[in-house]
Amino acid sequence: MAITPMIPGTGLVGWQVLQSTLTTQRTAFNSSSEIARDTDYFAEKIGSITSGEELVKDRRLLGVALSAFGLSDQVDSTYLIKRVLEEGTDDDTALANKLSDGRYVALANAFDFSEKVDYPFLKEGFSDDITAAYDTKVRADLDSLLAQPEYVNDPDAAAALEEQTLLVLETTKAYFEENITSVTSVDDFLADTDLVKVALGAFGAEKWINSPALLKQALVDGGEGPGALANVLGEKGLAAMSRAFGFDTEPSTVLQAEDFASDIIDSHQWQLFEEAVSNVNPAIGNALSFQRAAPGLAGLSSSNNTKWYSVLGDTMMRDVFQTALGLPAGFSQIDLDKQLEMLTEKAESRFGITEFADLEDSEVLNKVIHSYLLQSQVSQSAGTGSSQIALTLLSSINIQRF
């Protein structure tokens, strides 16, 4: 059974205590036997799932997956979830796009069952290492050439050769960096002689430039094991190049990626903790959810209006903003465009939010959260005497300062 979060106090008092003990409380919460069993099972099994149908058939896996996106209450809606997963989001008519709920879109995007090949050369930093090695090789060859008598005795020719060589070098390196990530297969790679030239030069295997069939077989073999062609030939540079480019990489889905399970598990654990906090204090639970969700939404590449419309379509985020800004209870009943206008105007005048991206700033984010908690506390204390309300708020502010 999960541990109940400890929140001594309400409003800003409870919030400040929770924030100061958050890491410790979450660690204890996530270590509870029930949560640990489910997350261990998810980490072990999710990589073997190849379709939406397989996922919905395993209730334990499905439970963690849905929880990560705030959809725990849909664990029995297997037909709905299967369709969402299998149809994806590329087609405008896909079910996830029709449900007017971003959680289904996020779920479908995360659980992409299409197989792709994650070649090493597609990863960040790969081209930097290759072009650096190629740069070293070209400069060494240039130095050797300039040491020849014909250039030693002709400084002008030497200077012209050096200038031209280095100019071509920079152009070639830039071309490699810009185009290597567009390669989708070994044939695609070999068809671009400029890419091949840089790669072979970086690994000291230039002599294979005119042997495309042999080069292809060496790359496909991958350079591992005694039976790989490059190793049979005793060509260490070619073997190293074959290993580096990884054209023997097997296709896989994102579910098999190293960090996929841990990312889903982290979201699942956060969701459970936020729900547990809400069971103790709904306002603080909302504030905790907002603290995690708002910066994520703010960091998206979508337009400013699209982000604000997402707020209006999300019960938790709408409630936080509506309460923090003191908007009337009937706010949600007015025209949607008018809601957007009022929300953005008041958010700017009250919190200085000119773009939703401003919520990536923790200072701005905390202004919204503190206002929400104070307004919630005032609302909850409506039946209490004014002196008691004042004392409560003053104690909240004092706690906040420390």
Side-chain angles (χ1 to χ4, degrees):
M1 187 174 182
I3 297 170
T4 300
M6 298 295 294
I7 308 175
T10 59
L12 280 175
V13 175
W15 174 253
Q16 295 296 335
V17 172
L18 177 62
Q19 290 293 292
S20 66
T21 60
L22 189 59
T23 300
T24 302
Q25 291 213 50
R26 281 202 66 221
T27 298
F29 183 84
N30 294 339
S31 298
S32 63
S33 58
E34 182 180 352
I35 295 175
R37 280 196 304 269
D38 286 342
T39 54
D40 288 347
Y41 180 80
F42 186 89
E44 179 186 353
K45 300 291 186 181
I46 194 59
S48 64
I49 299 299
T50 61
S51 68
E53 182 176 8
E54 287 185 13
L55 181 59
V56 300
K57 284 182 177 179
D58 190 320
R59 188 179 178 86
R60 288 182 70 185
L61 288 180
L62 183 62
V64 173
L66 294 180
S67 169
F69 296 91
L71 292 166
S72 294
D73 58 345
Q74 298 299 313
V75 71
D76 292 318
S77 304
T78 54
Y79 176 74
L80 170 71
I81 299 302
K82 178 184 172 183
R83 278 195 59 190
V84 166
L85 294 172
E86 292 184 344
E87 292 180 16
T89 60
D90 291 341
D91 193 326
D92 290 340
T93 64
L95 181 58
N97 295 326
K98 292 181 174 181
L99 292 173
S100 301
D101 188 329
R103 295 176 299 173
Y104 291 100
V105 173
L107 175 70
N109 285 335
F111 284 82
D112 181 358
F113 295 101
S114 59
E115 286 194 332
K116 299 184 179 75
V117 182
D118 189 19
Y119 291 120
F121 55 79
L122 299 177
K123 296 178 180 176
E124 185 177 354
F126 179 88
S127 62
D128 294 338
D129 294 337
I130 300 299
T131 54
Y134 180 68
D135 185 284
T136 300
K137 176 68 169 57
V138 171
R139 290 177 185 274
D141 289 346
L142 176 62
D143 289 342
S144 296
L145 187 57
L146 292 175
Q148 297 297 316
E150 61 182 293
Y151 289 108
V152 172
N153 297 327
D154 190 344
D156 290 338
L161 173 65
E162 181 175 18
E163 180 182 5
Q164 183 63 27
T165 300
L166 296 181
L167 178 62
V168 172
L169 172 62
E170 292 307 313
T171 301
T172 305
K173 291 193 310 183
Y175 180 85
F176 186 91
E177 292 171 352
E178 291 171 7
N179 291 278
I180 188 60
T181 54
S182 300
V183 171
T184 59
S185 69
V186 67
D187 289 325
D188 196 18
F189 173 66
L190 293 174
D192 192 324
T193 54
D194 289 326
L195 294 179
V196 174
K197 180 176 69 174
V198 173
L200 290 173
F203 289 93
E206 303 96 317
K207 70 180 183 179
W208 301 106
I209 188 70
N210 295 317
S211 304
L214 186 147
L215 182 55
K216 177 179 179 178
Q217 187 59 54
L219 291 171
V220 170
D221 283 352
E224 295 284 359
L229 180 58
N231 293 327
V232 171
L233 296 172
E235 290 290 332
K236 293 183 178 179
L238 186 57
M241 175 180 165
S242 300
R243 290 193 296 272
F245 277 79
F247 280 107
D248 60 331
T249 304
E250 294 293 329
S252 62
T253 69
V254 294
L255 280 71
Q256 295 168 310
E258 184 177 348
D259 57 354
F260 179 82
S262 60
D263 288 346
I264 297 297
I265 287 171
D266 184 60
S267 294
H268 162 67
Q269 291 171 332
W270 265 112
Q271 191 71 33
L272 291 182
F273 186 73
E274 289 165 3
E275 290 171 1
V277 170
S278 292
N279 288 336
V280 177
N281 187 299
I284 293 179
N286 267 357
L288 188 61
S289 296
F290 184 84
Q291 185 184 48
R292 185 166 65 101
L297 178 59
L300 296 180
S301 60
S302 50
S303 71
N304 192 55
N305 279 358
T306 297
K307 293 172 185 178
W308 281 113
Y309 279 124
S310 295
V311 168
L312 293 172
D314 184 292
T315 303
M316 176 274 295
M317 297 189 78
R318 169 191 280 273
D319 179 52
V320 170
F321 272 110
Q322 187 169 333
T323 302
L325 295 170
L327 294 169
F331 174 70
S332 61
Q333 304 303 314
I334 65 177
D335 178 75
L336 191 61
D337 290 337
K338 186 62 177 177
Q339 289 183 48
L340 177 64
E341 181 183 341
M342 290 177 61
L343 190 60
T344 53
E345 287 180 356
K346 286 186 172 293
E348 181 174 0
S349 63
R350 182 72 180 274
F351 305 121
I353 300 174
T354 57
E355 297 286 335
F356 198 87
D358 293 339
L359 284 161
E360 290 186 280
D361 184 332
S362 59
E363 184 176 343
V364 175
L365 182 69
N366 286 333
K367 285 181 181 179
V368 179
I369 291 173
H370 292 171
S371 178
Y372 165 71
L373 291 170
L374 285 170
Q375 293 293 339
S376 296
Q377 199 168 1
V378 168
S379 177
Q380 292 167 4
S381 305
T384 307
S386 58
S387 60
Q388 181 60 43
I389 294 175
L391 288 172
T392 301
L393 294 180
L394 283 173
S395 66
S396 298
I397 293 170
N398 288 333
I399 288 290
Q400 180 186 352
R401 286 175 179 169
F402 295 97

